[in-house]
């Protein structure tokens, strides 16, 4: 039976909290078993950390996780949703069906050794600066733990582990949602590496990304510049207009870009140039509107420079629908698992790493604490394709301290932490919390039903439509 108690933070009523049995034998078994496999899962995540494969290129990383699941008795359906590195691993039958998301793509430009000074790995161009090697491994570990309990008859239902490629700009989960792969799922669990421990009660920024390509006329830049029409001029003109536009969009908007191709030689008028843009805003309708204005800027730049322009939408993700019912359950389990404690050597590593920050970092000891459960009103600073999953099925996630407190995501410092026990310890916090949360959901069907009712209310009348349209997966977007 569910019990309810009031949670008060700073004198403010937040919401009723569902309390779950924390010391059940099943949970203790799961905690002990997962901790006993620490070295095994550390070996798995370090292999993926070394692979450092970028979006839609995660061939070895995906295969390694698939093999872990196959060895545990899962049926693995690979190459789903038109993506070679995507998979769905299933075990059990009947209801409830619990899904766990697993990511494994790295970021270009963040190659780094597992040391507290900036030292790239020779010959490697990418690195796990967002910790997805830990993400995928912990999710697989939690899924296998639930599989064991189903196999032994201690739980009834179905567990699914989703291998989700290219979260970093490739919107891999969007294609999986669009393909209907979550249609039969009751609840989805996820997590993300971070610098603190807490259940995610902050939404995300909706996002549309695109590559704008300009085509001009090549000519000798000194002898006959009048005969040329510079595609690079068009890119620069578009960028200038986009930067002017920043003053005239809602202040929560984020617009950023890189010039991916600006020509090959200064003495040749470039006949081709490309710029890669992201547009973000908490409101998905605002994102679509601002993106349309950005397209007009591109068209104007082409008109003014005598060039032509075409563009390709690369990715598009929704904001994140929160589910308080599920968050309450996950919070209870995260508090039971606890945070991360460091050895003397790890503290020394962490302090040296923090000395490279250009800001004051939180105390290293804060990695051992759990943030109170409290809904944040802003949409955070990032985007995630988990948002699209959250519009398909009730979804909840957490962050675990896989990096030294204060470490920014998408940094060489995050990559460095991810190659050490600092990352592995935080990974196991996540694996344990996911497993315990799943156990509660299997054993308390009323909570699943309450989460579904909240999901229906939060979604309202909105009819989901992918922000990236009907395009096929952009499998070469990192090229």
């Amino acid at each position: 039976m569910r019990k309810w108690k009031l949670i008060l933070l700073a004198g403010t009523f937040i919401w009723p909290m569902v309390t779950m049995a924390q010391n059940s034998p099943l949970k203790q078994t799961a905690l002990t078993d997962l901790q006993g496999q620490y070295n095994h899962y550390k070996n798995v995540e370090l292999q993926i950390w070394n692979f450092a494969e970028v979006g839609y290129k995660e061939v070895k990383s995906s295969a390694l996780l698939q093999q872990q699941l196959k060895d545990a008795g899962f049926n693995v359906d690979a190459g789903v949703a038109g993506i070679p590195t995507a998979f769905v691993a299933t075990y059990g039958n009947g209801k409830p069906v619990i899904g766990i998301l697993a990511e494994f793509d790295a970021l270009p430009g963040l190659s780094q050794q597992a040391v507290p000074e900036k030292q790239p790995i020779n010959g490697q161009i990418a690195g796990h600066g967002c910790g997805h090697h830990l993400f995928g491994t912990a999710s697989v570990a939690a899924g296998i733990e639930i599989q064991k309990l189903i196999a032994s008859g201690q739980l009834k239902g179905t567990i699914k582990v989703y291998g989700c490629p290219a979260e970093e700009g490739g919107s891999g989960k969007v294609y999986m949602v669009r393909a209907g792969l979550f249609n039969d799922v009751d609840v989805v669990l996820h997590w993300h590496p971070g610098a603190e421990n807490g259940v995610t009660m902050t939404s995300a920024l909706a996002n549309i990304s695109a590559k704008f390509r300009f085509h001009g006329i090549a000519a000798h830049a000194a002898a006959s510049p009048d005969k040329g029409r510079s595609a690079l001029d068009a890119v620069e003109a578009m960028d200038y207009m986009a930067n002017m536009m920043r003053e005239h969009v809602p202040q929560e908007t984020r617009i950023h870009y890189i010039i991916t191709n600006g020509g090959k030689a200064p003495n040749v008028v470039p006949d081709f140039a490309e710029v890669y843009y992201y547009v973000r805003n908490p409101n998905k309708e605002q994102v679509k509107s601002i993106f349309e204005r950005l397209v007009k800027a591109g068209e104007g730049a082409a008109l003014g420079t005598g060039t032509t322009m075409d563009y390709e939408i690369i990715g598009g993700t929704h904001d994140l629908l929160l589910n308080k019912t599920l968050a309450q359950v996950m919070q209870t389990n995260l508090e039971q698992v606890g945070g991360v404690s460091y050895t003397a050597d790890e503290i020394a590593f962490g302090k040296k790493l923090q000395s490279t920050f250009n800001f004051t970092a939180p105390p290293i000891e804060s990695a051992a604490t759990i943030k109170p459960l409290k809904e944040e009103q802003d949409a955070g600073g990032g985007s995630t394709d988990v948002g699209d999953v959250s519009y398909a099925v009730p979804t909840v996630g957490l962050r675990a301290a896989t990096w030294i407190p204060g470490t920014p995501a998408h940094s060489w410092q995050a990559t460095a932490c991810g190659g050490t026990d600092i990352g592995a310890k935080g990974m196991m916090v996540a694996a344990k919390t996911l497993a315990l949360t799943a156990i509660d959901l299997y054993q308390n069907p009323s909570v699943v039903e309450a989460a579904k009712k909240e999901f229906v209310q939060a979604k309202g009348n909105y009819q989901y439509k992918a922000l990236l349209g009907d395009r096929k997966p952009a499998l070469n977007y990192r090229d």
Side-chain angles (χ1 to χ4, degrees):
M1 179 180 292
R2 288 181 293 167
K3 297 181 180 180
W4 301 87
K5 63 182 180 180
L6 298 182
I7 299 298
L8 294 177
L9 291 176
T12 302
F13 173 73
I14 305 302
W15 58 72
M17 171 68 89
V18 184
T19 60
M20 295 289 177
Q22 295 188 26
N23 296 312
S24 71
L26 218 58
K27 288 187 176 182
Q28 291 303 318
T29 297
L31 290 173
T32 301
D33 191 50
L34 281 167
Q35 188 60 38
Q37 297 184 79
Y38 176 89
N39 288 332
H40 171 74
Y41 288 119
K42 176 186 171 183
N43 176 61
V44 172
E45 57 91 355
L46 284 178
Q47 288 184 65
I48 299 174
W49 185 84
N50 279 298
F51 293 154
E53 297 169 302
V54 297
Y56 296 134
K57 313 286 187 183
E58 319 98 329
V59 176
K60 291 183 286 187
S61 303
S62 178
L64 177 59
L65 294 178
Q66 288 182 48
Q67 192 60 53
Q68 298 297 308
L69 292 158
K70 289 177 183 177
D71 291 346
F74 280 78
N75 177 55
V76 178
D77 187 9
V80 297
I83 304 171
T85 53
F87 65 84
V88 181
T90 306
Y91 187 88
N93 57 76
K95 293 285 189 174
V97 180
I98 307 298
I100 303 179
L101 305 181
E103 298 175 7
F104 35 80
D105 62 319
L107 280 160
L110 289 177
S111 169
Q112 170 65 28
Q113 299 179 41
V115 296
E117 308 89 24
K118 188 174 183 180
Q119 292 185 23
I121 297 173
N122 290 334
Q124 190 177 92
I125 61 170
H128 276 284
C130 212
H132 293 176
H133 64 303
L134 302 167
F135 189 157
T137 305
S139 296
V140 166
I144 291 174
E145 197 57 38
I146 296 302
Q147 178 274 333
K148 292 177 182 177
L149 296 175
I150 294 175
S152 64
Q154 297 177 82
L155 292 177
K156 292 183 179 180
T158 305
I159 182 70
K160 290 192 172 189
V161 178
Y162 289 83
C164 305
E167 188 276 337
E168 298 290 357
S171 305
K173 297 182 195 67
V174 179
Y175 302 104
M176 299 174 80
V177 171
R178 207 175 65 180
L181 298 179
F182 296 92
N183 289 354
D184 66 339
V185 181
D186 294 297
V187 169
V188 163
L189 309 178
H190 68 98
W191 78 285
H192 201 282
E196 59 186 11
N197 307 293
V199 174
T200 302
M201 284 305 294
T202 304
S203 189
L205 298 174
N207 174 24
I208 296 178
S209 64
K211 292 182 178 180
F212 291 82
R213 299 173 178 123
F214 292 87
H215 308 271
I217 301 172
H220 195 293
S224 52
D226 56 305
K227 295 181 173 62
R229 297 293 182 268
S230 172
L232 178 58
D233 284 353
V235 164
E236 292 184 300
M238 179 182 179
D239 294 346
Y240 180 77
M241 285 188 279
N243 288 328
M244 295 295 288
M245 191 171 71
R246 296 179 194 276
E247 185 181 0
H248 308 289
V249 294
Q251 63 179 0
E252 302 86 4
T253 305
R254 299 289 184 269
I255 302 173
H256 23 265
Y257 60 85
I258 57 168
I259 298 174
T260 52
N261 189 330
K264 304 302 181 185
N267 61 340
V268 178
V269 174
D271 62 356
F272 177 78
E274 180 186 82
V275 60
Y276 190 2
Y277 266 89
Y278 276 37
V279 175
R280 312 190 205 224
N281 187 277
N283 185 296
K284 50 191 170 293
E285 298 303 323
Q286 284 277 14
V287 166
K288 290 191 283 187
S289 174
I290 296 165
F291 181 76
E292 289 171 1
R293 291 170 63 188
L294 186 66
V295 171
K296 293 296 183 184
E299 292 172 347
L303 182 64
T305 56
T307 60
T308 60
M309 184 274 290
D310 57 74
Y311 68 92
E312 177 187 8
I313 292 179
I314 299 299
T317 62
H318 277 57
D319 53 293
L320 185 67
L321 279 185
L322 304 176
N323 194 290
K324 297 175 184 177
T325 302
L326 296 176
Q328 296 161 14
V329 178
M330 183 169 275
Q331 178 74 14
T332 299
N333 288 301
L334 177 58
E335 290 175 355
Q336 179 180 353
V337 171
V340 180
S341 59
Y342 299 129
T343 65
D345 287 344
E346 288 161 358
I347 291 172
F349 180 103
K351 289 183 176 179
K352 191 167 185 180
L353 195 78
Q354 286 182 335
S355 72
T356 68
F357 299 162
N358 60 355
F359 54 88
T360 301
I364 286 180
E365 296 75 20
S366 65
T369 64
I370 307 298
K371 289 184 65 179
L373 185 62
K374 182 178 180 180
E375 183 173 0
E376 304 290 341
Q377 297 303 313
D378 65 78
S383 307
T384 173
D385 52 11
V386 177
D388 289 66
V389 177
S390 77
Y391 274 86
V393 59
T395 304
V396 67
L398 74 145
R399 286 186 178 271
T402 59
W403 312 323
I404 288 295
T407 303
H410 295 199
S411 67
W412 68 261
Q413 293 95 334
T415 306
C417 289
T420 71
D421 279 280
I422 292 168
K425 287 179 175 180
M427 174 187 75
M428 295 308 292
V429 168
K432 293 172 184 177
T433 304
L434 292 172
L436 299 194
T437 302
I439 290 171
D440 277 334
L441 297 176
Y442 283 111
Q443 294 186 321
N444 297 274
S446 61
V447 176
V448 175
E449 291 308 310
K452 287 183 176 181
K453 289 179 181 178
E454 182 182 342
F455 165 74
V456 170
Q457 184 176 9
K459 186 177 178 182
N461 296 323
Y462 177 68
Q463 297 297 311
Y464 172 81
K465 185 177 181 181
L467 294 181
L468 50 71
D470 59 0
R471 67 151 300 146
K472 293 180 180 180
L475 300 180
N476 296 317
Y477 82 106
R478 286 298 188 197
D479 293 347

